Amino acid sequence: MSQIGINGDPEVAKQWRSLRIKDDPVVQTNERGTVSFAMAGKGTRTSQIFFNTGRKNAYLDKQGFAPFGRVVTGMDVVDRIYDGYREKPNQGAIQQNGNTYLQAHFPELTFISRAIFIHQ
């Protein structure tokens, strides 16, 4: 899994922190290439999403993680997102200090500068 969604500017992140996105029913499985919202239980979805990079993430279905999109092209790019830090970046520190914290403590971290959403 590769998770994104906390803005690197603490002032922007602050505006999004308390906003919630309504839960969706799980109608497809969390397979490789799908995109789901991160959450900490019912009613907790925010701007954070994750790309399913593994093949065995169906266990997330029963936990309520509902895929809402799919990487159509460019999964090779998603696969190159650096994953060596695993869960180490502290989300609270990212919220408070943004990219300054990330660049100082996680120099290999991948940053996304542009993404395009395609409606079909």
Side-chain angles (χ1 to χ4, degrees), residues 11 14 25 32 38 49 55 58 60 66 73 79 84 86 101 106 111-112 117-118:
E11 290 304 312
K14 184 178 181 180
R32 179 173 167 72
I49 64 171
R55 299 200 182 279
L60 296 171
T73 60
D79 287 336
R86 313 302 282 165
Y101 161 74
F106 305 98
F111 286 82
I112 296 174
F117 294 90
I118 300 172

Side-chain angles (χ1 to χ4, degrees), residues 38-67:
M39 64 177 190
K42 289 188 179 210
T44 62
R45 295 188 333 173
T46 63
S47 61
Q48 296 184 59
I49 64 171
F50 62 87
F51 298 94
N52 279 296
T53 56
R55 299 200 182 279
K56 298 183 180 186
N57 289 339
Y59 69 93
L60 296 171
D61 303 346
K62 292 179 180 136
Q63 296 176 31
F65 291 92

Side-chain angles (χ1 to χ4, degrees), residues 9-25:
D9 178 336
E11 290 304 312
V12 174
K14 184 178 181 180
Q15 294 172 20
W16 287 94
R17 192 173 327 164
S18 62
L19 299 177
R20 296 291 180 258
I21 299 168
K22 185 179 175 186
D23 294 339
D24 290 317

Side-chain angles (χ1 to χ4, degrees), residues 97-119:
N97 302 301
N99 286 343
T100 302
Y101 161 74
L102 292 171
Q103 291 166 342
H105 299 281
F106 305 98
E108 301 297 319
L109 193 67
T110 303
F111 286 82
I112 296 174
S113 59
R114 181 175 159 225
I116 298 171
F117 294 90
I118 300 172
H119 299 279

Side-chain angles (χ1 to χ4, degrees), residues 74-104:
M75 194 62 194
D76 59 315
V77 176
V78 174
D79 287 336
R80 290 194 308 264
I81 294 173
Y82 183 76
D83 66 356
Y85 297 123
R86 313 302 282 165
E87 299 280 332
K88 288 183 183 170
N90 179 285
Q91 290 190 21
I94 299 169
Q95 297 277 2
Q96 293 295 317
N97 302 301
N99 286 343
T100 302
Y101 161 74
L102 292 171
Q103 291 166 342

